Amino acid sequence: AFHSIHHSDEHLTVATNYRFHFVDETLLRLWLFIPFQLLGTSVTTWLTLDFAMAWIFLVQHSEWDWTYGKLGWVFVSPTFHRRHHSIDMRQANSNYGMLFTFWDDLFGTADRTSPVPTQYGVAGPAVRESFLAQLVAPLKIIAAHRRSLRDVATVPAAPAPSLVSPARGTDV
């Protein structure tokens, strides 16, 4: 739900990299920062790498037709990543890698052959462009999901099939 703010952008640009919910971004930074700290890497090294990655992500979120040639089998290019932002869920459920494409190859989620998408975003109502709307949107998604789970749980179960044959009135 929180990451959907990033994917709700209908126009993929370098600024899409900075369209995120603070919860999503905080969890991502912690997920990347903690292993570096456990390995004994200095904060300065982590910040330098984080800054370099930010530039790489800016390029990935452009609509540039870069594939990186043979290096595209290792590194995520803008053309590779654009499919992940497609409104078509078959494409959106592919190309998850942040830096390396080989993860998608390993898990069978790489898509290098489908046409590059022309529409981006998420299905359903558009997320308004205001900061407050984007702050609240994931909470609405979570609340709606919880309501749907509760509604499914309160639907009465179908009666058990009878062990008596209605036609003959005898045990089946």
Side-chain angles (χ1 to χ4, degrees):
F2 294 108
H3 192 64
S4 69
I5 296 303
H6 174 69
H7 280 269
S8 68
D9 201 348
E10 295 176 355
H11 305 284
L12 203 60
T13 69
V14 292
T16 302
N17 188 54
Y18 293 108
R19 182 185 176 111
F20 55 81
H21 194 279
F22 79 93
V23 171
D24 183 38
E25 190 67 10
T26 301
L27 293 175
L28 174 65
R29 295 291 180 224
L30 286 175
W31 184 79
L32 296 173
F33 180 73
I34 291 172
F36 272 86
Q37 290 303 296
L38 292 174
L39 293 171
T41 308
S42 72
V43 173
T44 305
T45 301
W46 177 79
L47 286 173
T48 303
L49 289 173
D50 191 59
F51 184 72
M53 290 295 296
W55 280 100
I56 292 168
F57 295 155
L58 284 174
V59 172
Q60 284 177 5
H61 289 95
S62 71
E63 282 198 271
W64 299 337
D65 289 326
W66 294 1
T67 63
Y68 300 158
K70 291 183 181 185
L71 286 177
W73 287 91
V74 178
F75 297 105
V76 173
S77 69
T79 301
F80 185 85
H81 190 69
R82 282 167 55 189
R83 291 180 180 97
H84 180 68
H85 281 267
S86 175
I87 199 159
D88 179 346
M89 289 309 294
R90 290 170 296 185
Q91 288 182 318
N93 287 324
S94 68
N95 301 0
Y96 292 100
M98 293 175 62
L99 180 61
F100 300 114
T101 59
F102 58 76
W103 293 115
D104 286 294
D105 292 318
L106 180 67
F107 292 106
T109 56
D111 176 3
R112 290 182 175 85
T113 59
S114 68
V116 176
T118 57
Q119 290 184 300
Y120 306 103
V122 292
V127 177
R128 291 194 336 259
E129 293 294 321
S130 77
F131 175 74
L132 185 58
Q134 292 180 18
L135 190 64
V136 173
L139 304 176
K140 288 182 178 180
I141 292 169
I142 292 168
H145 181 69
R146 290 182 56 85
R147 274 193 304 277
S148 70
L149 291 176
R150 186 182 63 231
D151 292 345
V152 169
T154 59
V155 171
S162 174
L163 296 178
V164 176
S165 170
R168 294 183 299 211
T170 59
D171 288 344
V172 176

